[in-house]
């Protein structure tokens, strides 16, 4: 039984009244709203050599960076080969507007200094090396590394021409900047690199048009030789251009993203490019990374050539590139540095002999 003389009832009443007052005051305080998506900080993934797939959705950074915003690109889950191929479409019926600046004989072949119109704007500068005789010859596109230009492989191209091929060497877009003079920054780590890589593929496809348009070239016997950066770009081209029967990928890896994510002593950019900028750049570049396209090279044949002591391309990056390539493919390793050796060049000629019929007996490199 409750004792009415006890002060407990008064205390209880007071506590109830105080509780009601506090609840009322609390309910009148406005709640803090959750931040909108634009206000939430986005964590930036660290740059590492991890090969695990990462998101390719465009990211934001709290860092104030002046780089242009990156276009949102497909993620690994929705990347579509057929859809991506459309990036490299062009009008094959458009005039080549092939022009010759000069020509001269060198080492028994005619070297023509040429240019043709790029569907992406400007003119593609290059050399066309033609062996003596009326043909029909094979055709070979030969592409330089980075930094480099059409001059980088010219002496080798002369030997390829002597072996029975019309050789075409063009300047990559980065080598044509500033009125034909290579710029200091070959890789900008901006979306310009993406645009130039797409242009490069279209310019190379127009190069196939140049070779195929010649009466002295058999359009069914066209090959490709790419060195270093040119080997990486060859893997991208192999997934796009089926008129080329055989690709030689010499001392290359799976593309620029692969190159900088799996660093060696020769390609470490830590401290040179901010993490935020690097992540945005990778988001732009990954959808057009050669390691994806080389998986669709078939029926074209691939020859991979890599060095065990390469200071520019790690064995890990090289093996990933090899594994990605479709069949038919050959893989050869050499106990050399990045420049490979004479055996590697002889192996290239034998490979091209099999697929496009150049003559290894005439090759003297």
């Amino acid at each position: 039984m409750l004792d009415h003389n006890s002060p407990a009832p008064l205390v209880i009443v007071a506590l109830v009244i105080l509780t009601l007052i506090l609840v009322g005051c609390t309910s009148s305080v406005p709640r803090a709203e959750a931040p909108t998506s634009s206000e939430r900080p986005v964590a930036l993934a660290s740059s590492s050599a991890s090969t695990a797939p990462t998101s390719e959705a465009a990211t934001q950074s709290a860092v104030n960076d002046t780089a242009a915003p990156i276009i949102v690109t497909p993620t690994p889950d929705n990347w579509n080969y057929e859809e991506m191929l459309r990036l490299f479409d062009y009008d094959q019926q458009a005039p080549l507007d092939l022009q010759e600046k000069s020509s001269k004989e060198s080492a028994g072949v005619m070297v023509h200094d040429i240019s043709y119109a790029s569907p992406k704007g400007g003119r593609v500068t290059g050399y066309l090396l033609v062996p003596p005789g009326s043909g029909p010859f094979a055709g070979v596109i030969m592409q330089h590394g980075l930094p480099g230009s059409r001059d980088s492989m010219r002496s080798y191209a002369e030997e390829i021409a002597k072996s029975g091929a019309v050789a075409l060497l063009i300047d990559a877009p980065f080598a044509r900047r500033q009125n034909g003079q290579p710029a200091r920054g070959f890789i900008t780590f901006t979306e310009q690199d993406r645009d130039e890589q797409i242009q490069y593929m279209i310019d190379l496809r127009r190069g196939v048009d140049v070779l195929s348009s010649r009466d002295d070239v058999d359009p069914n016997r066209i090959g490709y030789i790419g060195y270093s950066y040119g080997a990486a770009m060859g893997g991208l081209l192999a997934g796009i251009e089926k008129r080329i029967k055989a690709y030689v990928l010499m001392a290359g890896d799976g593309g620029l993203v692969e190159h900088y994510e799996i660093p060696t002593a020769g390609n470490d950019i830590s401290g040179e490019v901010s993490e935020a900028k690097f992540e945005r750049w990778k988001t732009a570049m990954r959808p057009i990374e050669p390691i994806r396209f080389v998986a669709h090279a078939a029926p074209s044949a691939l020859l991979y050539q890599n060095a065990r002591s390469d200071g520019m391309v790690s064995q890990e990056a090289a093996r990933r590139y090899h594994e990605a390539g479709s069949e038919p493919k050959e893989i050869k390793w050499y106990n050399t540095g990045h420049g490979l050796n004479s055996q590697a060049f002889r192996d290239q000629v034998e490979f091209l002999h099999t697929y496009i019929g150049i003559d290894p007996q005439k090759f003297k490199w």
Side-chain angles (χ1 to χ4, degrees), residues 318-351:
R319 288 193 175 96
R320 281 172 53 81
Y321 197 25
H322 301 167
E323 291 169 2
S326 57
E327 297 285 355
K329 63 183 174 185
E330 297 179 33
I331 299 169
K332 292 185 180 292
W333 287 92
Y334 303 88
N335 294 321
T336 68
H338 192 59
L340 301 187
N341 57 20
S342 58
Q343 182 60 54
F345 293 105
R346 290 193 293 271
D347 290 343
Q348 292 175 23
V349 174
E350 289 290 346
F351 174 79

Side-chain angles (χ1 to χ4, degrees), residues 56-83:
E56 288 177 352
T59 61
Q60 297 175 340
S61 170
V63 177
N64 183 18
D65 202 309
T66 57
I70 291 296
I71 298 173
V72 176
T73 48
T75 65
D77 292 333
N78 66 11
W79 188 87
N80 182 282
Y81 172 65
E82 298 296 336
E83 178 183 334

Side-chain angles (χ1 to χ4, degrees), residues 279-325:
E279 290 299 321
R280 284 198 300 272
W281 176 79
K282 288 190 295 183
T283 297
M285 297 299 290
R286 272 203 182 96
I288 58 169
E289 188 78 339
I291 198 168
R292 293 185 169 194
F293 284 80
V294 76
H296 301 273
S300 303
L302 304 172
L303 172 61
Y304 288 105
Q305 296 180 302
N306 284 93
R308 291 189 174 92
S309 301
D310 195 327
M312 295 300 298
V313 176
S314 70
Q315 290 192 31
E316 178 189 354
R319 288 193 175 96
R320 281 172 53 81
Y321 197 25
H322 301 167
E323 291 169 2

Side-chain angles (χ1 to χ4, degrees), residues 98 112 128 130 166 209-219:
L98 184 63
H112 303 269
L128 196 65
V130 183
V166 174
D209 296 339
V210 170
L211 291 174
S212 299
S213 69
R214 294 181 60 90
D215 293 336
D216 59 352
V217 172
D218 181 348

Side-chain angles (χ1 to χ4, degrees), residues 41-270:
V42 178
L44 293 174
S46 62
S47 174
S48 69
S50 172
T51 58
T54 57
S55 172
E56 288 177 352
T59 61
Q60 297 175 340
S61 170
V63 177
N64 183 18
D65 202 309
T66 57
I70 291 296
I71 298 173
V72 176
T73 48
T75 65
D77 292 333
N78 66 11
W79 188 87
N80 182 282
Y81 172 65
E82 298 296 336
E83 178 183 334
M84 298 307 296
L85 278 180
R86 291 199 287 270
L87 290 173
F88 309 99
D89 286 343
Y90 70 100
D91 182 5
Q92 292 191 359
Q93 304 306 315
L96 280 167
D97 191 19
L98 184 63
Q99 299 177 13
E100 181 172 303
K101 183 178 179 180
S102 64
S103 64
K104 65 178 181 180
E105 184 177 344
S106 177
V109 301
M110 289 301 298
V111 180
H112 303 269
D113 186 344
I114 64 158
S115 67
Y116 54 89
S118 169
K120 288 289 190 177
R123 298 192 63 78
V124 182
T125 47
Y127 293 129
L128 196 65
L129 286 74
V130 183
S134 57
F137 303 111
V140 178
I141 295 175
M142 303 179 66
Q143 286 311 117
H144 58 81
L146 187 160
S149 70
R150 57 179 171 164
D151 290 297
S152 304
M153 298 182 73
R154 178 173 154 176
S155 59
Y156 180 38
E158 290 174 353
E159 296 304 317
I160 291 294
K162 291 178 188 177
S163 303
V166 174
L168 174 65
L169 297 74
I170 71 168
D171 287 315
F174 69 76
R176 307 200 302 261
R177 297 181 201 150
Q178 299 180 356
N179 298 320
Q181 297 302 313
R184 282 181 176 272
F186 298 98
I187 301 299
T188 68
F189 292 100
T190 69
E191 198 165 327
Q192 180 179 347
D193 297 333
R194 172 190 170 92
D195 294 340
E196 289 187 349
Q197 189 164 299
I198 292 171
Q199 177 171 10
Y200 196 12
M201 293 303 105
I202 294 173
D203 292 347
L204 287 168
R205 298 191 74 189
R206 286 258 81 179
V208 177
D209 296 339
V210 170
L211 291 174
S212 299
S213 69
R214 294 181 60 90
D215 293 336
D216 59 352
V217 172
D218 181 348
N220 296 312
R221 296 166 54 210
I222 295 178
Y224 177 97
I225 300 174
Y227 171 66
S228 191
Y229 172 78
M233 294 302 103
L236 177 55
L237 186 63
I240 300 166
E241 183 51 75
K242 303 306 179 183
R243 292 174 294 173
I244 297 177
K245 304 302 180 185
Y247 289 83
V248 175
L249 309 178
M250 178 185 179
D253 55 24
L256 291 175
V257 174
E258 287 275 304
H259 188 67
Y260 290 110
E261 278 197 321
I262 308 177
T264 65
N267 64 6
D268 186 1
I269 59 168
S270 58

